[in-house]
Amino acid sequence: MTPARRTSADVRIDVLSIFPDYLAPLDLSLVGRARRDGLLRLEVHDLRDWATDRHRTVDDTPVGGGAGMVMRADVWGAALDAVLATDGPTPSPGEPPRPILLVPTPAGAPLTQSRAQDLADELGAGTRLVIACGRYEGIDSRVAEHYAAAGLARVQEYSIGDYVLGGGEVAALVLVEAVARLLPGVVGNPESLVEESHGSAGLLEGPVYTRPLDWRGLIVPEVLRSGHHGRIARWRRDRGLERTAARRPDLLDRLDPGSLDRADKATLASCGWVDGGEGRLTRFEVRDAVPDDAAALAALAGATFPLACPPGVPVADVAAFVAAHLSPERWAGYLADPVGYVVVVAEAAARRPGLLGYVLVVLPSTADAEPVAADVAAAFAQRPAAELSKCYVVPGLQGTGLAGALLEAAHDRIAARTVEGHALAAVWLGTNRGNRRAQRFYRRHGYTAVGRRTFRVGDAPQEDLLMVRRMSPSGGGLVDAG
Ligand code: ADE
């Protein structure tokens, strides 16, 4: 049976303040309309109505000394008793729901979207909310203690942010608006609640646009005008992920990596976050390697290179290759020659020690230098051409987008390089013919297959697919035969 929709008599919020006029905005806009439409009953009370002296005093000096004034428990007690005794929502069968006494204070628990949703659910189930706005140094602490201990209310102290306001009224406005718009029927199109910041996805929303499409030369992104729903959804999601990474990394700390698809992971990796296992995202930094990284790079390269060798290559040959090309001494040599090599590393920002991945690019020594191997040189015409020699990440981080982030960082570095005054025209690589996964990865990053080459680890010749990525069309180059 569908539960009967509650009327405003059941959905009730009371606000107590010494400045009731401060809450006048609750007559306006969404909340005002909800009240008029009978979706919400909201009563604002003047605390001074319960003061007993001629001056309607509500505060006194702090016991024990100190600056400022504290609001009196007796005045608050009288006010809350009276408000709680007035007709509340019709109790549901069984236990009548206990009211929630909300006390705004900078010392409270942060008010979040999920707290607002809980409160909206409570209201919908017939729970009354009473907001007690303190001023000065706050309300005598015995008030909260008493209503909680006597079972008269569930007391929740909340804060709307890490700053101090003059009193709780603004925080009451914030809470009422955040909660009321979640009540059924208050927001015209409930769809608009789905994709917003702090929604169930736990992310911030990306930028939004409307007409005119060209305003002061600023043009709404093409994808949003494409009418292609899939691409639009992807674009919005990516911008939300990027914005969250930039502005609220704490939200990514709490995000379940299981809720992310491959495209999400690639976008997050470009912002420095990967699924590091353990059900959490890990932050990493991509940076240029420095001479001190030689030992760590040798360890990482020595551990990852063998994993990418095709089966059948003798272990001794793999070890000899690593000793010859990826030893600490060789790395020290690469790192000492920033003109000849680009080395980019990924490093965890915390927790996981050591390097997570690396890219090694070999730059040509002259603008018209040919790749050393004849089969490579013959396969494509662009010069100067750099060699993407290595791109590896630790095994647990494959498929997380980390390798893509490293590769793109390396592309950025080499796009900014010149050789004898010429921008690089292309970057090429050889990858084992049987390694389809690697080939798909490089294709996604702009490489196309141009031929084969033979590559030796020990004596065994390996057949590699040769792939080339042209640098941006505006980039220079000596020969560009296409
Ligand atoms: N009262 C004063 N500052 C406050 C804050 N940041 N949040 C809630 N209530 C307050």
Side-chain angles (χ1 to χ4, degrees):
M1 201 179 74
T2 336
R5 177 130 147 200
R6 290 186 174 275
T7 64
S8 65
D10 306 312
V11 181
R12 175 163 175 174
I13 303 179
D14 291 87
V15 185
L16 289 88
S17 161
I18 56 168
F19 295 122
D21 291 347
Y22 220 124
L23 297 142
L26 295 176
D27 281 333
L28 305 175
S29 187
L30 206 74
V31 177
R33 203 179 54 226
R35 293 169 79 180
R36 286 189 294 280
D37 289 352
L39 299 171
L40 169 68
R41 177 170 172 195
L42 198 140
E43 304 284 342
V44 178
H45 311 271
D46 185 350
L47 179 72
R48 290 196 197 275
D49 290 348
W50 286 274
T52 50
D53 66 331
R54 213 156 49 89
H55 303 289
R56 311 218 310 153
T57 308
V58 294
D59 58 344
D60 209 331
T61 53
V63 178
M69 301 290 272
V70 175
M71 297 188 99
R72 292 175 62 111
D74 53 351
V75 180
W76 270 107
L80 288 170
D81 287 349
V83 167
L84 289 172
T86 54
D87 52 340
T90 324
S92 316
E95 274 287 284
R98 263 188 305 151
I100 299 178
L101 175 58
L102 293 151
V103 186
T105 157
L111 178 64
T112 59
Q113 187 65 19
S114 88
R115 282 297 304 131
Q117 184 64 61
D118 290 348
L119 292 170
D121 294 345
E122 289 274 7
L123 269 179
T127 305
R128 283 180 70 176
L129 304 186
V130 178
I131 309 178
C133 301
R135 284 256 144 194
Y136 319 121
E137 296 303 306
I139 303 172
D140 185 315
S141 294
R142 289 171 296 177
V143 175
E145 190 184 319
H146 165 72
Y147 284 90
L152 298 170
R154 285 173 281 163
V155 179
Q156 295 180 5
E157 297 189 325
Y158 73 95
S159 164
I160 60 161
D162 294 342
Y163 39 77
V164 180
L165 303 165
E169 286 75 10
V170 170
L173 291 172
V174 168
L175 184 137
V176 172
E177 181 151 329
V179 172
R181 63 192 291 284
L182 298 175
L183 295 172
V186 171
V187 168
N189 178 5
E191 285 268 304
S192 62
L193 301 178
V194 175
E195 271 191 22
E196 60 191 10
S197 294
H198 304 290
S200 54
L203 300 171
L204 303 184
E205 211 183 355
V208 293
Y209 306 90
T210 185
R211 270 151 288 277
L213 299 179
D214 178 348
W215 178 72
R216 299 189 180 180
L218 297 171
I219 300 173
V220 173
E222 189 279 326
V223 55
L224 298 179
R225 295 177 277 135
S226 69
H228 191 297
H229 298 304
R231 281 179 58 213
I232 292 172
R234 183 69 256 162
W235 186 90
R236 289 191 169 141
R237 175 110 177 143
D238 286 342
R239 300 296 81 74
L241 288 162
E242 286 166 2
R243 192 175 263 190
T244 309
R247 300 181 182 175
R248 293 293 306 277
D250 56 306
L251 296 179
L252 295 183
D253 266 334
R254 281 180 256 148
L255 201 66
D256 171 16
S259 68
L260 302 171
D261 66 18
R262 184 196 191 97
D264 293 338
K265 287 183 183 173
T267 303
L268 281 175
S270 72
C271 306
W273 290 83
V274 277
D275 177 359
E278 304 160 18
R280 289 184 60 174
L281 292 171
T282 303
R283 198 171 193 165
F284 68 90
E285 187 200 356
V286 171
R287 62 169 174 81
D288 293 307
V290 294
D292 272 355
D293 291 319
L297 274 163
L300 177 61
T304 52
F305 180 80
L307 303 175
C309 286
V313 181
V315 175
D317 287 351
V318 175
F321 183 95
V322 168
H325 301 284
L326 301 170
S327 64
E329 295 71 32
R330 287 306 293 262
W331 278 108
Y334 303 142
L335 298 172
D337 180 6
V339 174
Y341 301 92
V342 168
V343 186
V344 183
V345 292
E347 189 170 44
R351 291 192 297 158
R352 197 193 270 259
L355 299 179
L356 305 179
Y358 76 99
V359 170
L360 169 65
V361 178
V362 185
L363 297 169
S365 51
T366 59
D368 57 0
E370 290 295 305
V372 175
D375 48 1
V376 177
F380 61 95
Q382 292 88 2
R383 306 286 182 270
E387 178 189 358
L388 179 71
S389 170
K390 304 277 180 295
C391 176
Y392 285 97
V393 298
V394 294
L397 294 180
Q398 278 166 350
T400 61
L402 177 65
L406 268 166
L407 185 56
E408 290 305 332
H411 290 161
D412 289 348
R413 305 299 197 270
I414 53 183
R417 287 299 190 90
T418 54
V419 181
E420 294 181 329
H422 294 277
L424 284 156
V427 54
W428 66 270
L429 62 89
T431 185
N432 191 269
R433 267 185 67 202
N435 193 344
R436 303 255 172 235
R437 183 186 160 126
Q439 289 159 30
R440 277 198 305 275
F441 166 75
Y442 289 119
R443 264 190 209 101
R444 282 202 303 279
H445 289 276
Y447 291 78
T448 48
V450 294
R452 305 269 161 85
R453 72 148 180 189
T454 303
F455 181 66
R456 283 182 193 280
V457 177
D459 286 336
Q462 306 296 327
E463 182 91 23
D464 266 2
L465 189 70
L466 262 183
M467 301 183 86
V468 172
R469 178 184 188 272
R470 295 170 63 162
M471 302 306 286
S472 79
S474 57
L478 283 182
V479 184
D480 193 343

